[in-house]
Amino acid sequence: MAQAEATLGAGRAYLFETFRDNFAAALQRKPLNEARRIKMQLAASHALVCAAQAVDLVHAAAGASAIRYESKFQQHFRDVHTMTQHAIASASRYESVGALMLGAESDWGFFAL
């Protein structure tokens, strides 16, 4: 539980910091430049990956009872892993962000806006 809480908290903190900074920049009418878009995408993907890792840790600690249909654990496990498959914040977005960080083109349309 402690490791799950720390993992979730780290992902949440990075996400909130990033969006708070971008909101402050928007209030100052600063454009959403590539560096800000990269950090937003990275923070969103990282938060989702951390959430899935936290659920995995709790799910593993719950043992066999976690797989029972009436268990909330199996519902959370299924839900978070469904979210990890969504294009907006899947782990594959790490590759999209990494390409930009290395000066290559990205496959993710968000960066073309």
Side-chain angles (χ1 to χ4, degrees):
M1 287 301 297
Q3 187 177 359
E5 178 63 28
T7 300
L8 185 62
R12 180 185 294 135
Y14 185 50
L15 181 71
F16 285 6
E17 170 196 320
T18 299
F19 278 77
R20 184 177 46 249
D21 291 349
N22 281 319
F23 183 71
L27 290 176
Q28 296 173 6
R29 299 194 183 278
K30 293 182 180 176
L32 185 60
N33 61 20
E34 185 174 87
R36 286 194 184 89
R37 289 194 306 269
I38 286 172
K39 192 170 179 184
M40 281 189 350
Q41 182 64 66
L42 184 58
S45 295
H46 185 64
L48 183 54
V49 167
C50 285
Q53 289 173 345
V55 169
D56 287 349
L57 289 164
V58 174
H59 190 265
S65 64
I67 63 171
R68 295 175 55 114
Y69 180 74
E70 61 276 0
S71 170
K72 288 289 185 187
F73 289 122
Q74 67 83 18
Q75 292 171 3
H76 297 312
F77 182 86
R78 182 188 62 232
D79 290 350
V80 77
H81 285 284
T82 298
M83 290 172 26
T84 65
Q85 302 306 307
H86 196 285
I88 193 73
S90 68
S92 65
R93 293 290 72 92
Y94 280 126
E95 186 176 338
S96 304
V97 170
L100 289 171
M101 293 170 76
L102 294 172
E105 287 189 27
S106 175
D107 63 338
W108 185 226
F110 176 70
F111 297 111
L113 299 175

